[in-house]
Amino acid sequence: MKLGMVGLGKMGANMTVRLIHGGHQVVGFARTKAVVDAAVAQGAVGAYSLADLVRQLEPPRVIWLMIPAGAPVDQTLDQLHSLLAPGDLVVDGGNSYYRDTLRRAALVTGWGVHYVDVGTSGGIWGLTEGYSMMVGGEDADVERIRPVLEILAPAPDKGWGHMGAVGSGHFVKMVHNGIEYGLMQAYAEGFAVLQAKSTFALDLHQVAEVWRYGSVIRSWLLELTESALQENPTLAGIEPWVADSGEGRWTVTEALDLNIPAPVITLALEQRLRSREADPFTEKLLAMMRNKFGGHDVKRET
């Protein structure tokens, strides 16, 4: 199968290599020539514009997008509009908000072009471990890209599935990432408690290593935690600043819309927001309230 890959960042590049090793031909495009050249060195066919990429694919084409969610997806679709023909298929493999996916699918199908969303998990480890893929779209469209999904997954029959109609893949991936927020927060809090018990002088790396085997809380996230603690036991030089890429926010919003309580995911998101406050006004005001009603001391900045 010959596939057009738009976006050759780390995950897109790794997916391209996995597909090439699996016997598929990939035409790759990125905005930076050096990135395309690197993909060519791995065995991909280079494209130096979207028009060049489309030209090198025989109709009906499959164009797989691995680009940041939001405006970049809309801008790429705008550019593809005049290049694609009825019967072509666009796959959004990024972390798009499922409501955006529904809107884009309606737009693209109006051109006679098919649309599939693939929520993709696996990160930089997908090249060796395979990717977990949650797929949304029409049955025939999903079947059309089945050979690609079977190569990218950990095994042809494991790690990927057709979730349902278009948009469902990104919806499931959204909730997946919301759960991820909660799991990460629980691990981080637990290890913080262990670290604070100075009387035991616990070796956190050892604890993580023990928990990896036979423990109820063993997981891949725990394996990564163990690896991080081995490399940097005290996390020296790491700022307590945690980003979020949107999926946790979307999960919390959806939970509210559906009247489903999701306190763990919500609090995990809030903790990420709190981590970015260089000068937290909230705690300052709390201190002043205590001072006003009870005369409690206020700690002054030095």
Side-chain angles (χ1 to χ4, degrees), residues 212-234:
R212 285 180 57 199
Y213 301 97
S215 166
V216 171
I217 63 168
R218 65 188 183 273
S219 71
W220 186 51
L221 275 174
L222 182 59
E223 291 180 23
L224 296 176
T225 301
E226 179 271 328
S227 176
L229 290 171
Q230 182 180 39
E231 295 169 3
N232 189 350
T234 64

Side-chain angles (χ1 to χ4, degrees), residues 12-275:
N14 285 351
M15 294 174 76
T16 295
V17 171
R18 192 172 177 90
L19 287 168
I20 291 169
H21 287 173
H24 295 289
Q25 188 175 25
V26 178
V27 181
F29 166 70
R31 292 178 299 174
T32 305
K33 181 179 183 297
V35 174
V36 178
D37 291 341
V40 171
Q42 295 286 346
V45 177
Y48 296 91
S49 69
L50 283 176
D52 187 24
L53 179 138
V54 171
R55 180 184 57 79
Q56 296 187 66
L57 298 171
E58 294 183 6
R61 308 170 186 88
V62 176
I63 312 290
W64 189 299
L65 309 181
M66 286 302 295
I67 55 181
V73 180
D74 290 315
Q75 292 162 4
T76 302
L77 291 176
D78 285 344
Q79 294 174 57
L80 285 171
H81 185 189
S82 62
L83 301 172
L84 299 180
D88 290 343
L89 170 62
V90 173
V91 179
D92 182 359
N95 277 330
S96 291
Y97 186 25
Y98 86 97
R99 294 182 186 271
D100 289 336
T101 298
L102 294 174
R103 170 179 57 79
R104 291 169 185 143
L107 173 70
V108 168
T109 54
W111 310 340
V113 173
H114 302 261
Y115 205 81
V116 168
D117 56 296
V118 180
T120 309
S121 182
I124 59 175
W125 295 90
L127 175 60
T128 54
E129 304 297 323
Y131 297 92
S132 173
M133 292 170 293
M134 297 137 266
V135 188
E138 296 291 335
D139 291 347
D141 294 334
V142 175
E143 282 301 308
R144 186 169 159 189
I145 61 171
R146 175 184 284 270
V148 173
L149 300 170
E150 291 180 344
I151 288 293
L152 292 175
D157 60 344
K158 290 182 175 64
W160 77 274
H162 185 186
M163 302 293 104
V166 68
S168 63
H170 281 153
F171 181 83
V172 174
K173 178 55 163 52
M174 174 190 75
V175 177
H176 164 284
N177 282 33
I179 293 170
E180 180 183 289
Y181 280 38
L183 290 173
M184 293 174 69
Q185 186 67 30
Y187 278 128
E189 291 176 6
F191 277 96
V193 173
L194 295 173
Q195 190 268 344
K197 192 65 174 178
S198 58
T199 54
F200 288 147
L202 296 168
D203 181 341
L204 299 189
H205 170 253
Q206 180 194 34
V207 173
E209 178 67 15
V210 169
W211 285 351
R212 285 180 57 199
Y213 301 97
S215 166
V216 171
I217 63 168
R218 65 188 183 273
S219 71
W220 186 51
L221 275 174
L222 182 59
E223 291 180 23
L224 296 176
T225 301
E226 179 271 328
S227 176
L229 290 171
Q230 182 180 39
E231 295 169 3
N232 189 350
T234 64
L235 304 184
I238 306 299
E239 287 192 26
W241 194 101
V242 187
D244 77 282
S245 54
E247 295 89 344
R249 297 175 185 235
W250 301 336
T251 304
V252 170
T253 298
E254 197 67 27
L256 292 171
D257 287 347
L258 295 171
N259 293 316
I260 298 296
V264 172
I265 296 173
T266 302
L267 287 173
L269 172 63
E270 290 178 355
Q271 282 297 111
R272 293 194 180 200
L273 300 179
R274 176 60 58 85
S275 76

